[in-house]
């Protein structure tokens, strides 16, 4: 089992829009095998931090899911809008033991 965590620093005042995009697209990722999808906002560290995380059975599932997004025009279009709200970010992938 793997935990994929995408961590974003939103532009000031844009965290809410980023959360809305992730909420709208999470059902797609659940349908592709993601489990325990969560959207977190930090309340004590960096301002406007949004974390979108989910679990996958195999690391290969992540790459399959990423490729599938490009072929689903609705999800691809929705996710393209997230860049308008982000200053920077990074991804962490952990093996759950």
């Amino acid at each position: 089992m793997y935990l994929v965590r995408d961590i974003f620093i939103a532009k000031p005042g844009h965290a809410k829009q980023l959360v809305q995009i992730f909420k709208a697209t999470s059902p797609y990722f659940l349908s592709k095998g993601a489990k325990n999808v969560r959207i977190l906002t930090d309340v004590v560290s960096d301002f406007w931090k949004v974390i979108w995380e989910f679990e996958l059975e195999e690391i290969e599932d992540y790459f399959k899911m990423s490729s599938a997004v490009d072929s689903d025009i609705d999800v691809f279009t929705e996710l393209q809008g997230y860049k308008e709200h982000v200053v920077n970010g990074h991804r962490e992938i952990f093996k759950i033991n």
Side-chain angles (χ1 to χ4, degrees):
M1 183 75 75
Y2 291 85
L3 172 68
V4 178
R5 182 177 289 155
D6 291 336
I7 301 170
F8 302 94
I9 302 298
K11 293 178 182 176
H14 287 243
K16 185 176 182 177
Q17 291 91 334
L18 202 52
V19 168
Q20 290 171 341
I21 290 169
F22 296 151
K23 281 184 177 182
T25 56
S26 288
Y28 173 82
F29 291 94
L30 287 165
S31 75
K32 296 297 182 188
K35 299 176 183 172
N36 300 322
V37 175
R38 297 191 313 173
I39 302 163
L40 312 166
T41 53
D42 197 333
V43 295
V44 297
S45 185
D46 298 328
F47 291 115
W48 309 296
K49 184 185 285 187
V50 178
I51 301 171
W52 186 23
E53 68 177 29
F54 52 90
E55 296 173 12
L56 295 167
E57 288 293 330
E58 300 293 334
I59 192 67
E60 293 81 15
D61 296 340
Y62 172 76
F63 299 107
K64 290 176 190 174
M65 190 175 1
S66 295
S67 295
V69 167
D70 293 341
S71 62
D72 187 310
I73 192 66
D74 293 332
V75 174
F76 181 79
T77 302
E78 184 76 34
L79 285 173
Q80 288 303 306
Y82 88 89
K83 295 176 184 175
E84 300 171 19
H85 307 292
V86 174
V87 173
N88 64 33
H90 67 278
R91 176 173 295 121
E92 300 172 345
I93 301 178
F94 299 94
K95 181 170 176 51
I96 299 172
N97 297 307

